[in-house]
Amino acid sequence: MNAARSLHPSPRTLEVESLDGFDRLVAAGARTMQGWHAQSLDLRGRTAQLEAMNPQGGIFLGCTFGHGVEDSLRSRGALIFPKLEAVPFNPYRARLYTPQELYEGIAESRYEDTPDAKVYQWSIRPGQRHRLDATLAAALHDHSIGDALDELTRSDLCAGRTMVGVMGGHAARRGSAVFEEAAMLGRLLARDGRVVATGGGPGTMEAANLGAYLSEAPDRDFRRALDDLAAVPGFLPSVSAWARSAAAVVERHPEGTPSLGVPTWFYGHEPPNFFATHIAKYFANAVREAILLELCNGGIVFLPGSGGTVQEIFQDACENYYGTPGTIMPMVLVGQEHWLRRYPAWPLLQSLAAGRQMESRIFLVDTVEEALAVLDR
């Protein structure tokens, strides 16, 4: 998990992500900006404060300054990363995404016109992955997302609570038994006081985030949401219709329980779901997968899936195989028929774990209720 940890700020770093935060530091008597990382701030009204301080060692990422201030700061030792106007996203953003931000305009327009779709189209332009400006912008963005995700884990949302990952197939259709099972799992986990984390996409990922989001809603509202969503079973042929039906559920229940989604533009054909209230969307899929596994300090439940889910099982198994006692987390596979016969991952996982400390932390169950019981043990 070193890739994820490397994105986190050092203890001496001060993330300055709002004007209020800047003002508090100045009011507290700060005279030097050593270690400051100011992100996407409009500092045109703070010229006097900036001129009065020593900027040596300070870093400004995509900030706006009054006339002449940028040159002054740079000449006195500050490192300034300019705004990147040619990219359809803010590479220096200081917070995670919301579904409303990624799907802005979906009620009136097509998905193809939303910020999420525009970023994906930018990322797949011919030669884009080999352009220095594009790769730098994407790397800076992913660093910022990692930083924001680190802040989330230290926030009140996660205080005293474990985070449980739910992995499974993206192809599970709304209205299916698999989708309902995943939604019930998310609902049970959130009601049990756990933070639900998924890959942030459609299928079982959407279902688990939905279940968590409506965990405090009455059963009749939960069932109504499942029925309403079933009218648009999948994101094909229309992501727009799929997203609008989810947005309608969120509008009826604006105060849902928070959960996390960690999707990627690498799989841009899979849109993010509308029920993860906090979305850490990455360009680099490998970094995204490593971080998602690291975050799940309460274990991971693997629902029926195929290629991607099998990969996630053994990526997690590898971490546990080489882990120390304090880092080995439960792995719960749900669906004996699926994991014993259709995709026999369980026998291989058992063989891999035999004689290792992870052996007592792997489980095969048949229902999501059994999965919750295993995690409670």
Side-chain angles (χ1 to χ4, degrees):
M1 298 303 177
N2 292 335
R5 295 193 182 104
S6 69
L7 297 177
H8 298 170
S10 68
R12 299 181 61 186
T13 297
L14 282 174
E15 302 291 344
V16 188
E17 299 169 344
S18 68
L19 287 178
D20 286 343
F22 178 89
D23 291 340
R24 284 195 297 271
L25 289 169
V26 173
R31 292 293 177 264
T32 178
M33 299 180 191
Q34 179 69 43
W36 288 27
H37 288 184
Q39 295 175 240
S40 299
L41 301 184
D42 186 344
L43 295 167
R44 286 175 291 187
R46 304 298 190 274
T47 296
Q49 295 91 324
L50 290 168
E51 292 290 357
M53 298 180 69
N54 177 8
Q56 180 74 38
I59 299 177
F60 294 86
L61 304 162
C63 295
T64 306
F65 305 97
H67 179 70
V69 174
E70 182 174 339
D71 290 339
S72 171
L73 291 172
R74 187 177 284 112
S75 68
R76 291 185 290 136
L79 180 61
I80 299 178
F81 287 79
K83 288 185 175 180
L84 301 178
E85 305 291 352
V87 299
F89 57 90
N90 179 5
Y92 312 117
R93 61 181 297 116
R95 62 189 183 279
L96 300 178
Y97 291 100
T98 66
Q100 290 79 9
E101 180 181 3
L102 290 174
Y103 282 106
E104 183 181 2
I106 192 66
E108 305 84 20
S109 187
R110 307 172 307 153
Y111 168 70
E112 289 76 12
D113 298 321
T114 64
D116 183 67
K118 288 178 180 178
V119 174
Y120 175 56
Q121 290 302 318
W122 172 87
S123 74
I124 61 172
R125 289 176 184 169
Q128 193 79 310
R129 297 184 190 275
H130 303 290
R131 289 173 54 94
L132 180 60
D133 56 346
T135 54
L136 282 175
L140 287 166
H141 170 276
D142 284 2
H143 169 87
S144 298
I145 291 296
D147 182 40
L149 197 49
D150 184 67
E151 288 191 14
L152 177 73
T153 63
R154 293 184 276 109
S155 70
D156 291 342
L157 171 64
C158 297
R161 305 170 68 193
T162 58
M163 185 174 290
V164 174
V166 178
M167 312 291 186
H170 71 274
R173 293 172 68 79
R174 295 166 171 178
S176 68
V178 174
F179 188 92
E180 182 173 335
E181 184 179 50
M184 183 57 68
L185 175 62
R187 184 169 167 86
L188 291 172
L189 288 170
R191 284 187 163 185
D192 203 39
R194 303 169 190 270
V195 180
V196 172
T198 77
T204 54
M205 295 173 280
E206 179 191 38
N209 286 126
L210 164 68
Y213 187 81
L214 295 180
S215 59
E216 298 303 319
D219 285 347
R220 65 178 181 277
D221 291 343
F222 176 61
R223 292 292 168 186
R224 179 188 171 186
L226 289 173
D227 290 343
D228 288 352
L229 292 172
V232 187
F235 62 90
L236 296 176
S238 173
V239 177
S240 302
W242 179 82
R244 288 183 194 124
S245 63
V249 173
V250 170
E251 287 171 9
R252 277 204 312 271
H253 303 278
E255 302 298 327
T257 299
S259 68
L260 175 66
V262 190
T264 173
W265 277 293
F266 184 80
Y267 295 134
H269 59 286
E270 295 181 13
N273 77 70
F274 220 98
F275 299 108
T277 57
H278 298 71
I279 299 177
K281 191 154 191 178
Y282 284 88
F283 287 100
N285 185 52
V287 174
R288 164 250 192 177
E289 289 181 340
I291 287 177
L292 181 54
L293 290 178
E294 181 185 358
L295 289 171
C296 297
N297 58 359
I300 298 178
V301 180
F302 297 93
L303 296 172
S306 53
T309 310
V310 171
Q311 175 189 337
E312 290 159 350
I313 288 173
F314 289 103
Q315 187 172 350
D316 191 22
C318 185
E319 298 292 336
N320 284 333
Y321 185 88
Y322 291 109
T324 59
T327 65
I328 298 173
M329 297 301 156
M331 299 177 64
V332 186
L333 278 61
V334 179
Q336 295 200 38
E337 174 67 26
H338 189 86
W339 296 120
L340 281 172
R341 280 168 277 280
R342 184 173 184 186
Y343 296 108
W346 176 250
L348 180 54
L349 184 60
Q350 276 189 307
S351 298
L352 191 68
R356 311 286 298 188
Q357 294 183 1
M358 66 180 285
E359 187 173 17
S360 63
R361 309 304 298 276
I362 64 171
F363 307 91
L364 177 64
V365 300
D366 248 340
T367 68
V368 296
E369 290 81 6
E370 290 173 318
L372 183 65
V374 165
L375 293 174
D376 282 341
R377 289 208 303 268

